[in-house]
Amino acid sequence: MTELLINVATKKLLDAYLKSPAHALLLTGETGVGLGSIANMLARELSESEQTVTSLLPEKGLISIERVRTLYEQTRSIQDGKRVIIIDDADSMSPDAQNALLKLLEEPVENVHFILTTHAPNQLLSTIRSRAQAIGVLNIDETMSKQLLANYSLDATKHAQALFLASGRPAELTRLAEDEEYFAAKAGVVSDARTFLQTDAYGRLLVIKKYTDRAGALEFLTMCGQLLRFSFLKQKNVSAAENMEVFDLVMKRIEANGHARTHLMHLVTKLS
């Protein structure tokens, strides 16, 4: 497992898993931490050829029951060697698809291993989670992040920005280093978050006009929270700690399908 940079504690857990692989493994972690890459690496270690690895990816944000049902024949046929089935973004399975997968997990077949990845484990059935060994993939440290960025020719400013934006998420760090347009978009969110935290109520209203959809609002709030945590750790700013609680509450409400615009407007009135 040398081709990927993996948190030391996480690597120990992955090594232990490979020595005695469970029927089902659930990889969790932050978006951009590289769950898909780790799942594919594990599959290569477990299987004997690419032909014995099946990957299920969301199509238009969904994994349907029909696609899960296609796994029945594959898992019930005679296996010459180990077969690995990767279900990426497993939380995108429909409720029916999750129930169909549960039936497969309840009747383990020798030499068949499932590897599920998700950034939102609570959106999976508790019965699926209980039947899978769970490994939380932790972010890498700054030394590893700098080691990864050493593969790219970045100027000092972009280097520092990429480290801050990725915050130890290697897949995100790689994308920031390789995709100029993506980097510019993320840097724009940082700029908006910084302006929002430093300006007055009117200025904050101007900033949030950009963030009308749920996904955009959550990304913006996440970046605001990241800046606040940085400020608190650096300066022990009490107001930053208080504001972090407000941001966390607003994020939870939007994540629970709350109206993004309404809650962002509410946020403007609550910041100290």
Side-chain angles (χ1 to χ4, degrees):
M1 303 200 306
T2 57
E3 67 271 23
L4 293 179
L5 288 175
I6 301 174
N7 177 283
V8 174
T10 300
K11 187 176 184 304
K12 289 180 180 179
L13 295 175
L14 297 175
D15 287 339
Y17 163 79
L18 286 173
K19 290 178 181 177
S20 181
H23 170 58
L25 174 68
L26 178 62
L27 297 174
T28 65
E30 294 183 28
T31 301
V33 79
L35 298 183
S37 297
I38 291 175
N40 280 284
M41 176 203 66
L42 293 174
R44 289 194 299 271
E45 294 284 341
L46 288 172
S47 62
E48 297 172 5
S49 70
E50 292 184 3
Q51 286 70 38
T52 60
V53 177
T54 300
S55 293
L56 238 62
L57 302 172
E59 293 179 352
K60 297 181 179 179
L62 180 71
I63 296 177
S64 66
I65 185 174
E66 290 77 16
R67 296 182 66 205
V68 173
R69 281 175 174 165
T70 64
L71 301 176
Y72 277 74
E73 184 177 347
Q74 295 180 40
T75 59
R76 292 311 186 255
S77 61
I78 297 174
Q79 307 296 322
D80 294 330
K82 290 183 178 179
R83 174 171 289 278
V84 182
I85 296 170
I86 299 172
I87 302 181
D88 215 2
D89 291 331
D91 54 280
S92 66
M93 286 187 291
S94 67
D96 287 341
Q98 290 197 40
N99 279 305
L101 176 65
L102 182 60
K103 292 180 181 179
L104 287 171
L105 299 183
E106 288 176 334
E107 301 173 2
V109 176
E110 188 177 0
N111 290 331
V112 175
H113 299 278
F114 288 87
I115 301 177
L116 284 64
T117 76
T118 179
H119 303 296
N122 289 335
Q123 292 183 27
L124 288 174
L125 292 174
S126 60
T127 42
I128 288 180
R129 299 198 306 269
S130 68
R131 283 168 172 77
Q133 176 183 344
I135 294 181
V137 177
L138 303 176
N139 295 7
I140 60 176
D141 59 26
E142 187 173 355
T143 300
M144 284 185 171
S145 295
K146 289 179 177 178
Q147 181 182 341
L148 191 158
L149 280 185
N151 297 313
Y152 303 93
S153 299
L154 304 181
D155 62 47
T157 299
K158 188 171 181 179
H159 186 279
Q161 289 177 327
L163 286 174
F164 176 78
L165 285 166
S167 297
R169 296 169 295 155
E172 179 73 359
L173 197 58
T174 298
R175 187 174 180 186
L176 288 166
E178 295 180 350
D179 189 333
E180 290 284 349
E181 187 175 342
Y182 182 77
F183 180 90
K186 294 298 180 181
V189 177
V190 174
S191 178
D192 287 342
R194 187 172 287 113
T195 299
F196 183 85
L197 294 172
Q198 295 175 349
T199 191
D200 56 18
Y202 177 71
R204 288 170 178 162
L205 289 173
L206 293 179
V207 171
I208 64 173
K209 289 173 76 173
K210 296 182 182 180
Y211 300 96
T212 56
D213 66 286
R214 183 169 171 267
L218 289 173
E219 181 181 16
F220 169 72
L221 291 170
T222 298
M223 187 52 63
C224 287
Q226 191 171 328
L227 289 171
L228 283 171
R229 281 189 290 275
F230 180 79
S231 175
F232 176 74
L233 291 173
K234 187 176 181 180
Q235 304 173 1
K236 302 301 179 185
N237 189 320
V238 176
S239 64
E242 294 172 348
N243 285 335
M244 278 192 287
E245 294 181 3
V246 177
F247 274 93
D248 287 343
L249 178 61
V250 171
M251 285 190 69
K252 288 177 181 176
R253 288 175 174 172
I254 295 177
E255 286 172 343
N257 292 321
H259 188 263
R261 179 74 172 176
T262 299
H263 288 296
L264 287 177
M265 294 283 287
H266 178 74
L267 175 64
V268 171
T269 66
K270 290 296 183 180
L271 289 180
S272 57

